[in-house]
Amino acid sequence: MPIDQSYVGRAYPASTTYEVGREHVRAFADALGDPNPLYRDRDAARAAGHPDVVAPPTFLTVLTNRFGGEGPVADPGLGLDYSLVVHGEQRFALHRPVHVGDVLSCVVSISGVRDIGRNESLTLLTEVTDADGAAVATMTTVLVSRGTAAPKPTPEA
Amino acid sequence: MPAYADVEVGQALPEQTFVLTRHSLVLYVGASGDDNVIHWNERAAKSVGLPDVIAHGMLTMAEAARVVTDWAVDPGRVEEYGVRFSRPVVVPDDDAGATLVVAGSVEEKLEGGRVRVSLTASVGEQKVLSRASAVVRLDA
């Protein structure tokens, strides 16, 4: 079943804020096998000019999973069958580094749905702001829904 | 950290190799919160037409970023990072796992001490990421 195009523009604010935890950043870096001290050591992070430990560039993906259950992917009205979905593309625009202790808010919006042959692509934008309302990051996620595009009229011979 | 003034377009960043095993995927499930069954359940992965369990695209993306963050030393200097997931990374149930090879080079010098780095990521002969690039702010 095709994705409902009328959902383009719809926004899904997260129901609560998200606090970046010290042990979570360390565990994320551990999972990558990345020994960078700026992910663990506050003094090392401060020496590099940061207020506290820095999160890895892709860390904000945790927001997608934390709030996925209340976002567009879980919205039954959108008509996305998650079992047919693959992650096509991901971009991060980091307006400033993410630090331990940041209290973040995020809003996911549906920015586009289009057909690519028999597949459809769904583009989601996640705007992340801090406790002061300042922009922290913009995440762009392109999901590909396999085989769900509406059938096209057959071109006349 | 390399200085902006010393960096040249075309300059290579040190290539790195990352081994992704089932253990890596389990750790990443816990750390990221992405518990999609195709990343840990072979039966579920095969039922949707995959050859075996596959790595999270976001895990591959995170490992590839290390070529940039290790070069920049301060990972907080990464201002943009984007990839396309061109092929899944299949992770067999053995001790060898999948070996990801990531290379990078300076593609462009930008305003404000920033450089754009392009990345390639391969498993064997196959490119698993495409259009992968990052913008990093260096010291003058």
Side-chain angles (χ1 to χ4, degrees):
Chain A
M1 191 181 71
I3 299 168
D4 187 340
Q5 297 269 351
S6 74
Y7 276 63
V8 173
R10 195 169 287 215
Y12 300 76
S15 58
T16 63
T17 54
Y18 178 92
E19 182 171 348
V20 178
R22 186 173 310 282
E23 290 299 330
H24 195 178
V25 169
R26 179 198 53 73
F28 194 92
D30 282 351
L32 305 179
D34 188 336
N36 196 315
L38 272 68
Y39 297 146
R40 300 172 172 82
D41 180 344
R42 185 171 7 192
D43 293 336
R46 285 182 174 163
H50 295 284
D52 207 324
V53 162
V54 182
T58 64
F59 179 79
L60 291 176
T61 191
V62 301
L63 296 176
T64 307
N65 301 312
R66 168 65 181 80
F67 297 114
E70 51 191 74
V73 170
D75 184 341
L78 179 63
L80 189 69
D81 178 347
Y82 199 62
S83 69
L84 301 175
V85 166
V86 293
H87 198 169
E89 187 174 343
Q90 181 68 38
R91 293 196 298 274
F92 295 86
L94 299 161
H95 311 309
R96 69 154 172 87
V98 174
H99 297 116
V100 161
D102 279 338
V103 177
L104 304 174
S105 297
C106 68
V107 180
V108 184
S109 59
I110 299 176
S111 76
V113 178
R114 64 188 182 92
D115 287 4
I116 306 172
R118 292 169 54 223
N119 300 333
E120 292 179 285
S121 79
L122 172 69
T123 302
L124 304 175
L125 288 183
T126 304
E127 295 291 351
V128 182
T129 51
D130 65 18
D132 299 323
V136 173
T138 306
M139 289 189 274
T140 306
T141 304
V142 180
L143 301 177
V144 177
S145 174
R146 292 175 296 158
T148 58
K152 313 281 187 299
T154 311
E156 289 181 33
Chain B
M1 182 186 302
Y4 179 79
D6 299 337
V7 168
E8 292 176 16
V9 170
Q11 177 181 332
L13 279 59
E15 183 178 287
Q16 293 198 47
T17 296
F18 305 99
V19 175
L20 300 178
T21 62
R22 291 288 178 89
H23 182 235
S24 319
L25 305 196
V26 169
L27 290 176
Y28 193 76
V29 166
S32 69
D34 181 348
D35 63 355
N36 190 324
V37 287
I38 61 173
H39 304 307
W40 54 270
N41 183 323
E42 184 173 327
R43 178 171 45 85
K46 288 181 172 169
S47 78
V48 295
L50 294 166
D52 204 334
V53 161
I54 64 168
H56 305 72
M58 291 306 300
L59 171 57
T60 304
M61 182 179 187
E63 295 292 21
R66 289 178 56 190
V67 165
V68 180
T69 55
D70 285 354
W71 181 65
V73 182
D74 178 356
R77 296 298 191 96
V78 176
E79 298 189 348
E80 291 176 32
Y81 180 38
V83 306
R84 280 192 176 183
F85 302 104
S86 46
R87 277 184 178 275
V89 174
V90 177
V91 179
D93 184 16
D94 60 25
D95 296 330
T99 300
L100 177 71
V101 178
V102 183
S105 65
V106 176
E107 184 182 315
E108 193 181 1
K109 293 181 81 170
L110 307 167
E111 298 286 299
R114 292 166 173 81
V115 297
R116 178 172 294 281
V117 171
S118 61
L119 296 170
T120 61
S122 311
V123 174
E125 297 297 309
Q126 297 192 322
K127 301 280 186 206
V128 296
L129 299 178
S130 61
R131 294 197 193 184
S133 77
V135 172
V136 193
R137 184 171 48 83
L138 302 176
D139 286 334

